[in-house]
Amino acid sequence: MGRKKIALIGAGQIGGNLALLAAERELGDIVLYDIAAVEGMAKGKALDISQLLPVPGFDARITGTSSYDDVAGSAVCIITAGIPRKPGMSREDLLGTNLKIISDVAANLKRVCPEAFCIVVSNPLDAMVYAFKKLTGFPKHRVVGMAGVLDSARFRTFIAMELGVSVEDVQAFVLGGHGDDMVPLVRCCTAGGIPVSELLPKERIDAIVDRTRKGGGELVALYKTGSAYFAPAAACIAMAEAYLRDKKRVLPCAAYLEGEYGIQGCYFGVPVVIGAGGVERVLQLTLSEEERTLVAKSLQSVQKTVAETKL
Ligand SMILES: NC(=O)c1ccc[n+]([C@@H]2O[C@H](COP(=O)([O-])OP(=O)(O)OC[C@H]3O[C@@H](n4cnc5c(N)ncnc54)[C@H](O)[C@@H]3O)[C@@H](O)[C@H]2O)c1
């Protein structure tokens, strides 16, 4: 059996790191696509990473291109095409520009990769993944948004730093839209199976929740020229790998909801099972009244941005 093809649409900061991580995990052959004006960058990153692989000893064919012909037949498409935030911008400020870009990408992927599992990353995430699904007409199990894995990884990092323990032993997840009113679920956060509320005072947990919510902005303020890219790339790879290796991983992702959590016809961050069937299941848990209030606020923000897409 030949290697699967993985298309990375957008060969910028996240795209380049995706290529590196996917190659190092031998997930398949990789096509780095970007617009003609920066085709040299896509080709350059592909060549540079190809020349790295003999050192650790991994096999992957990596190509850079500005032609969708080379993308055709990919099993997985990860879409990072679009502009990132600069200091002072909200994710919603990207809507006008990135909606045009996502529309272009959707039209092309519908044509050349009608069977692919698609992971949308471009911001504002919940609206962009909604637009991509609507414009391609792909089924909901094959279109998912990346946000929760990243936001939960940030939450886990801060908890592990605070406790001075391994990140491996900290489990946590974040519910809701990919905005500053996302909902880190404190009661589901554990270190070695122990609820963190047993290990840390409430004010420290509150501070970590707040830092998690603003985690993207903290990076934008530090980088000044764009947003985070190492951790976002790793989060996408976890999702792509779960699909390609049929791992049935439980991951928080922006999934299209049709009644789950009382939400209808909208992408929203919830725990899902990802395996060979794509988004195979949405896992539902009973929320407390306080959590329901926070989720409702996050949903309102998502719906407002989606409405602005006028799709
Ligand atoms: N969902 C998340 O959790 C998350 C996290 C971080 C960043 N992001 C978002 O991901 C996106 C990419 O971030 P980045 O740091 O890689 O940005 P970047 O600017 O480094 O890369 C984006 C690339 O998209 C390309 N592009 C523009 N128009 C295109 C088109 N029509 N077709 C294909 N490619 C096109 C650009 O040429 C550029 O190379 C941004 O919108 C950013 O806000 C999302």
Side-chain angles (χ1 to χ4, degrees):
M1 207 190 353
R3 292 199 284 256
K4 292 268 172 60
K5 188 155 132 186
I6 300 161
L8 308 176
I9 310 299
Q13 296 284 32
I14 304 178
N17 280 289
L18 281 170
L20 177 60
L21 293 174
E24 285 191 336
R25 295 188 82 84
E26 295 188 320
L27 292 187
D29 289 335
I30 297 153
V31 179
L32 255 174
Y33 172 92
D34 212 305
I35 52 174
V38 291
E39 190 186 27
M41 179 193 58
K43 285 188 182 301
K45 286 186 182 181
L47 184 61
D48 199 357
I49 296 169
S50 300
Q51 293 169 355
L52 166 157
L53 294 180
V55 181
F58 298 119
D59 288 303
R61 184 167 176 269
I62 312 172
T63 43
T65 185
S66 65
S67 165
Y68 273 101
D69 291 347
D70 298 319
V71 170
S74 295
V76 174
C77 298
I78 307 180
I79 298 127
T80 63
I83 56 166
R85 284 197 278 172
K86 300 243 168 56
M89 291 172 90
S90 74
R91 293 181 181 89
E92 288 66 34
D93 293 335
L94 309 173
L95 183 77
T97 305
N98 285 355
L99 184 59
K100 286 195 196 91
I101 293 173
I102 284 292
S103 304
D104 169 53
V105 173
N108 282 293
L109 291 185
K110 185 177 176 172
R111 188 170 54 81
V112 300
C113 295
E115 302 300 328
F117 178 62
C118 298
I119 302 171
V120 178
V121 184
S122 315
N123 273 319
L125 188 272
D126 304 276
M128 289 303 102
V129 63
Y130 176 88
F132 183 84
K133 181 188 183 303
K134 188 106 187 179
L135 294 165
T136 54
F138 288 173
K140 64 178 180 179
H141 65 277
R142 285 204 285 108
V143 179
V144 65
M146 188 291 289
V149 179
L150 170 65
D151 297 328
S152 304
R154 286 178 173 150
F155 194 20
R156 291 171 64 192
T157 304
F158 299 145
I159 293 282
M161 279 162 53
E162 184 76 21
L163 288 171
V165 301
S166 167
V167 289
E168 212 181 330
D169 293 322
V170 178
Q171 291 296 329
F173 86 93
V174 173
L175 208 60
H178 186 50
D180 291 356
D181 47 19
M182 65 182 77
V183 187
L185 275 197
V186 174
R187 78 180 151 102
C188 296
C189 181
T190 59
I194 306 163
V196 289
S197 54
E198 301 273 338
L199 304 172
L200 288 172
K202 184 176 180 311
E203 57 277 13
R204 287 310 306 150
I205 296 176
D206 288 347
I208 289 170
V209 164
D210 188 55
R211 191 174 178 194
T212 300
R213 286 197 175 119
K214 298 173 185 155
E218 184 176 358
L219 268 303
V220 171
L222 289 167
Y223 280 146
K224 293 195 170 66
T225 53
S227 51
Y229 44 93
F230 292 117
C236 297
I237 292 296
M239 294 165 67
E241 186 170 27
Y243 172 73
L244 288 163
R245 303 205 203 280
D246 191 21
K247 284 176 74 87
K248 317 269 186 220
R249 288 205 62 193
V250 177
L251 297 169
C253 300
Y256 190 73
L257 301 183
E258 289 178 302
E260 300 93 339
Y261 293 90
I263 299 170
Q264 192 63 42
C266 186
Y267 271 89
F268 202 61
V270 291
V272 302
V273 176
I274 297 188
V279 177
E280 296 183 348
R281 257 182 312 148
V282 171
L283 299 184
Q284 296 204 66
L285 65 155
T286 309
L287 301 178
S288 69
E289 203 171 320
E290 189 193 350
E291 288 161 352
R292 275 205 304 275
T293 309
L294 293 171
V295 163
K297 184 162 177 265
S298 175
L299 179 64
Q300 244 180 10
S301 307
V302 169
Q303 286 173 330
K304 182 169 174 281
T305 314
V306 169
E308 283 168 28
T309 65
K310 299 192 170 62
L311 286 171

